[in-house]
Amino acid sequence: THDGNLIIVPTSACFAKICDEDRERVRDAFERLANGETQKMREEYRVGRQWLPSPQQNEWVEVRAAVDERDANGKPLSLIGTSMTVTQRKEMEEALVQAKVKAEEANTLKSSFLANISHEIRTPLNAIVGFSQLLSETDDPEEKKMFTNIITHNNDLLLKLINDILDLSKLDAGFVQFKPIWVNLPSLFKDTELTYKERLRNTDVEFILEIPTDGNFLAYIDHSRLLQVLGNFITNAIKYTPAGFIRVSYELPSKGGLLLSVADSGIGIDDSKKSRVFVRFEKLDQFAQGTGLGLSICETIVKAYKGEIGFESTVG
């Protein structure tokens, strides 16, 4: 009512303002109340605000209603109720739901992370313990040399795993401060070329370096982190390239930054496995050496540097 006069608003006009996703639910609730199926109703729905550009900015409304008066046959003559904007409460509820989901995800990831760490540490540790025992029981020089090599190899694996886990933990916690310096890129990449050409000397893989030739380019970047990303990319390429080439290149785009790329003629990645490339402890070939942390560390470093990381691959 307004100044004692009854204002009649058609139900169609009321329902027209309700968002499409909620309209039928609210209409059904009102009909059940009007038909006497229920005595009270409480519904929450979104009301469209056409002047706002985003549907996420719709208002949430809570309506409560009950039958106020009925005729002799029990048919409702009038309803009484309240209508209240509850947008802020709904946003708080959604934030709590999201926080709960994130907490559950974090807990699951933590459990998975610990399980993977246990497995990955146990594997080289078993080899070290087992072959150390065999080493103490043999006098054969050839066997001693073989056992020592196996122990040394697994020591290296274990040390790299522990270093990767510590590095990843520090990066995640934000404890690592990037320390940029002026880096001579051609010099850095030529040193890298010498290192990996030597490593590939007795293989069927050619290491190719493609760098700009017009000038000594300097980059203001964290030298050790750049080498870490580059090294993990190249190591990954070596692991999955039995023959052919590995090509390393960089350029300085006009928009700024450093574009680094490593290409190889290796086995490629199946479409079904592409979503797992940057997942921690994921090894697309379980028989390949490594911890499955290298590319995950690269992604963490690049994203912390506000950069982008990605790949393109075809099987074969």
Side-chain angles (χ1 to χ4, degrees), residues 245-256:
F245 68 87
I246 293 170
R247 184 173 61 248
V248 176
S249 62
Y250 78 86
E251 58 183 277
L252 302 174
S254 57
K255 65 179 181 179

Side-chain angles (χ1 to χ4, degrees), residues 198-215:
E198 178 61 28
R199 181 170 167 180
L200 294 167
R201 188 157 53 95
N202 297 319
T203 70
D204 295 324
V205 181
E206 180 187 7
F207 188 94
I208 303 168
L209 179 65
E210 293 181 354
I211 61 175
T213 56
D214 50 345

Side-chain angles (χ1 to χ4, degrees), residues 114-157:
L114 290 172
N116 277 309
I117 287 174
S118 302
H119 170 73
E120 296 292 345
I121 288 177
R122 196 179 294 120
T123 303
L125 205 53
N126 284 341
I128 292 167
V129 172
F131 283 99
S132 295
Q133 181 69 31
L134 290 173
L135 186 63
S136 67
E137 295 174 357
T138 183
D139 293 321
D140 186 299
E142 286 299 314
E143 279 193 342
K144 280 189 174 183
K145 184 178 179 182
M146 181 179 69
F147 295 160
T148 302
N149 288 339
I150 291 171
I151 292 167
T152 301
H153 172 69
N154 281 279
N155 273 335
D156 292 342
L157 281 180

Side-chain angles (χ1 to χ4, degrees), residues 58-244:
N58 289 337
E59 290 281 13
W60 275 94
V61 175
E62 178 191 89
V63 64
R64 296 175 186 241
V67 176
D68 181 42
E69 194 177 350
R70 297 179 184 274
D71 63 13
N73 297 319
K75 182 180 179 181
L77 294 172
S78 62
L79 304 177
I80 187 170
T82 61
S83 178
M84 178 170 55
T85 301
V86 292
T87 304
Q88 190 174 8
R89 173 170 63 77
K90 292 295 289 186
E91 288 174 349
M92 290 173 66
E93 287 175 0
E94 179 62 25
L96 286 171
V97 169
Q98 291 301 321
K100 181 174 181 287
V101 169
K102 285 183 179 179
E104 289 171 347
E105 286 177 351
N107 193 47
T108 302
L109 284 171
K110 182 185 72 174
S111 300
S112 174
F113 192 67
L114 290 172
N116 277 309
I117 287 174
S118 302
H119 170 73
E120 296 292 345
I121 288 177
R122 196 179 294 120
T123 303
L125 205 53
N126 284 341
I128 292 167
V129 172
F131 283 99
S132 295
Q133 181 69 31
L134 290 173
L135 186 63
S136 67
E137 295 174 357
T138 183
D139 293 321
D140 186 299
E142 286 299 314
E143 279 193 342
K144 280 189 174 183
K145 184 178 179 182
M146 181 179 69
F147 295 160
T148 302
N149 288 339
I150 291 171
I151 292 167
T152 301
H153 172 69
N154 281 279
N155 273 335
D156 292 342
L157 281 180
L158 191 58
L159 185 61
K160 185 177 188 320
L161 173 63
I162 292 169
N163 284 335
D164 282 349
I165 290 168
L166 291 173
D167 201 27
L168 209 49
S169 299
K170 286 191 286 185
L171 283 164
D172 281 349
F175 290 153
V176 175
Q177 295 293 319
F178 290 111
K179 298 175 182 177
I181 58 172
W182 286 107
V183 176
N184 184 303
L185 293 177
S187 176
L188 180 145
F189 278 83
K190 284 171 183 172
D191 287 346
T192 302
E193 179 186 27
L194 290 173
T195 300
Y196 287 100
K197 271 192 170 179
E198 178 61 28
R199 181 170 167 180
L200 294 167
R201 188 157 53 95
N202 297 319
T203 70
D204 295 324
V205 181
E206 180 187 7
F207 188 94
I208 303 168
L209 179 65
E210 293 181 354
I211 61 175
T213 56
D214 50 345
N216 292 320
F217 292 119
L218 296 176
Y220 192 62
I221 195 166
D222 189 308
H223 179 267
S224 62
R225 293 298 177 186
L226 174 58
L227 282 176
Q228 189 175 10
V229 171
L230 182 62
N232 276 332
F233 276 3
I234 296 172
T235 301
N236 190 73
I238 291 172
K239 197 185 305 180
Y240 296 107
T241 307

